[in-house]
Amino acid sequence: MRSRFSAFALGLPEYLLSSWHPSTRPGELTLDPDQRWTRLDIVDTRSGGPFDSRGTVTFRAWWRSDTERGVLEETSEFVREGGRWSYVDGVVAGG
């Protein structure tokens, strides 16, 4: 989760796509260059330990642009296959 947030903050769509599970990964990803991700708080985790094949992370991520500021709260699902974690999907709070 932290590496994906860092990829958003640094504007690295190729990393985001490579860490996205093939079953849900989009064909392409365009990031908004005016949106800056500034802070990540992990709110909760379930499973995702060394012996788990699935896990969830609930987080809050703060962003801003020249005209707006906001917080994204999401519960993300991850799976581990071949020793590597991949993002599957997420449910946005209030969405």
Side-chain angles (χ1 to χ4, degrees):
M1 180 64 239
R2 293 181 198 283
S3 70
R4 287 182 56 83
F5 173 81
S6 295
F8 273 104
L10 295 170
L12 302 173
E14 60 281 348
Y15 177 82
L16 293 164
L17 289 170
S18 73
S19 62
W20 208 313
H21 195 269
S23 68
T24 56
R25 178 175 46 225
E28 62 182 56
L29 181 63
T30 303
L31 301 179
D32 182 348
D34 295 327
Q35 192 172 44
R36 295 178 300 283
W37 294 92
T38 60
R39 176 178 158 188
L40 174 68
D41 288 343
I42 303 297
V43 176
D44 188 33
T45 60
R46 291 191 196 119
S47 302
F51 303 107
D52 294 318
S53 61
R54 301 185 84 76
T56 61
V57 177
T58 301
F59 67 90
R60 288 187 193 105
W62 278 256
W63 60 271
R64 65 181 173 178
S65 69
D66 289 340
T67 58
E68 296 180 275
R69 293 173 187 244
V71 178
L72 168 68
E73 184 169 346
E74 178 179 304
T75 299
S76 297
E77 181 181 349
F78 292 85
V79 296
R80 180 175 22 212
E81 295 174 338
R84 181 175 175 187
W85 287 101
S86 296
Y87 171 79
V88 176
D89 61 14
V91 176
V92 176

